[in-house]
Amino acid sequence: MSEANNGAAGIGAADIAGADAADETVIRIEDLRKTFGDNEVLRGIDLDVRRGEVVVILGPSGSGKSTLLRCVNLLEKPTGGRIFFEDTEITAKKTDINKVRAKVGMVFQNFNLFPHLTAKKNVMLAQQKVLHRNKEEAARIAEEQLEKVGLGERIDYRPSELSGGQQQRVAIARALAMDPHVMLFDEATSALDPELVRDVLSVMKELARGGMTMIVVTHEMGFARDVADRVIFMDGGHIVEQGTPEEVFDHPTSDRTKDFLGHIS
Ligand SMILES: Nc1ncnc2c1ncn2[C@@H]1O[C@H](COP(=O)(O)OP(=O)(O)OP(=O)(O)O)[C@@H](O)[C@H]1O
């Protein structure tokens, strides 16, 4: 959703730094390679993501989707290639990892919330530790973000008192509280009961409409069709095919993409 739709969504483009700079490349990935032992998981990925673009990555299990996102967030160290975020090469030795992570929000399949902390405290923690916001400011922003993901009434609940979908929305609020320029979603709805998936997808849709730059690994084909500006099909550590949702879903050119789409539909 490259065209920011101000006002229509609760989470607006005004929340996102630089959202007006259309056509600007935010992430540039050049010949990215990652090997675990003998296992060559990423075999030369080239990918540019523009400001406000929503890129959905599809592919079979083990194709390297998570590893790609984890390299962009510096959770994994690439074996080769380079990644640029805005005007900085983040794979360079001198990169301040915490600064990159604050700007590149990531949401995982399993929420990763602290079980002993309330939703509000979970959203406050990284703001205080990484951004050095004072307690009052962190609390105000936590309440604001939890409100935006529909959890204004539940800020004092602990994760065990929340449904999986609510916990995932806390995790999204936690990432948004850091004022990210990009959001990465790694199968954010895969661990949820089907009836809870919709609420999380609708928060993600709203973010996309607000102009957030997003890379989304998902098996939710409806979401990909509705929201993606670009769909990428990965297999065996390569980008096999990419295009608009219509191109990839309705007119795939590679037999591997056809097989995969046939397999999951
Ligand atoms: N930390 C690690 N150590 C060793 N091997 C790893 C590690 N992380 C991932 N792998 C391997 O890398 C390959 C790709 O994994 P990855 O999680 O990136 O795939 P994926 O496409 O996201 O799959 P899925 O859809 O199942 O999550 C797999 O063979 C996996 O076993």
Side-chain angles (χ1 to χ4, degrees):
M1 294 210 174
S2 301
E3 308 98 66
N5 182 6
N6 288 334
I11 303 163
D15 293 337
I16 300 156
D20 54 339
D23 287 340
E24 179 194 340
T25 297
V26 183
I27 294 176
R28 165 159 294 164
I29 299 173
E30 292 178 356
D31 196 26
L32 182 66
R33 293 166 187 276
K34 178 68 186 175
T35 305
F36 293 107
D38 299 343
N39 190 0
E40 237 186 305
V41 173
L42 297 177
R43 298 167 183 242
I45 300 284
D46 293 298
L47 174 64
D48 281 4
V49 180
R50 294 187 313 278
R51 178 105 44 212
E53 194 178 15
V54 178
V55 175
V56 168
I57 303 181
L58 309 175
S61 183
S63 55
K65 307 179 299 292
S66 293
T67 304
L68 173 59
L69 289 195
R70 292 171 66 82
C71 285
V72 173
N73 203 28
L74 299 179
L75 289 168
E76 296 288 356
K77 190 173 173 350
T79 313
R82 300 196 295 174
I83 303 175
F84 296 86
F85 173 65
E86 296 177 333
D87 48 8
T88 308
E89 187 197 337
I90 63 175
T91 37
K93 278 207 177 78
K94 59 181 183 340
T95 301
D96 180 339
I97 288 183
N98 280 332
K99 268 197 189 154
V100 174
R101 290 225 186 103
K103 294 209 174 115
V104 182
M106 184 146 173
V107 175
F108 302 87
Q109 186 171 338
N110 293 320
F111 332 135
N112 296 348
L113 299 176
F114 288 106
H116 60 291
L117 297 180
T118 62
K120 182 171 153 186
K121 289 266 166 62
N122 264 288
V123 179
M124 287 171 66
L125 198 65
Q127 298 186 58
Q128 294 174 274
K129 290 227 182 287
V130 179
L131 301 182
H132 307 293
R133 286 184 182 145
N134 66 39
K135 202 172 160 191
E136 290 68 32
E137 194 186 5
R140 180 181 58 74
I141 291 169
E143 286 176 23
E144 211 173 274
Q145 293 299 342
L146 285 164
E147 180 75 39
K148 282 184 184 167
V149 298
L151 293 174
E153 308 289 304
R154 300 226 145 89
I155 60 174
D156 294 323
Y157 286 46
R158 289 198 167 74
S160 61
E161 300 166 315
L162 298 169
S163 72
Q166 289 167 340
Q167 290 181 60
Q168 191 57 294
R169 285 185 278 147
V170 174
I172 294 172
R174 176 179 57 184
L176 293 175
M178 305 296 280
D179 300 327
H181 294 193
V182 173
M183 286 284 285
L184 311 177
F185 291 88
D186 190 6
E187 300 197 16
T189 57
S190 298
L192 302 178
D193 292 336
E195 68 273 20
L196 303 176
V197 168
R198 203 193 48 209
D199 291 342
V200 174
L201 289 180
S202 81
V203 167
M204 290 168 64
K205 262 187 204 178
E206 209 168 284
L207 263 181
R209 285 201 198 102
M212 179 60 86
T213 309
M214 294 167 48
I215 307 180
V216 182
V217 170
T218 185
H219 297 293
E220 295 290 336
M221 298 301 144
F223 176 88
R225 262 196 194 272
D226 288 356
V227 181
D229 294 301
R230 184 157 38 132
V231 173
I232 289 180
F233 174 66
M234 270 181 78
D235 196 10
H238 295 285
I239 292 179
V240 173
E241 178 159 0
Q242 58 180 309
T244 62
E246 291 72 23
E247 285 166 345
V248 173
F249 288 123
D250 300 336
H251 309 287
T253 53
S254 149
D255 286 344
R256 284 197 273 170
T257 317
K258 287 177 198 165
D259 283 352
F260 176 75
L261 293 174
H263 178 70
I264 51 120
S265 61

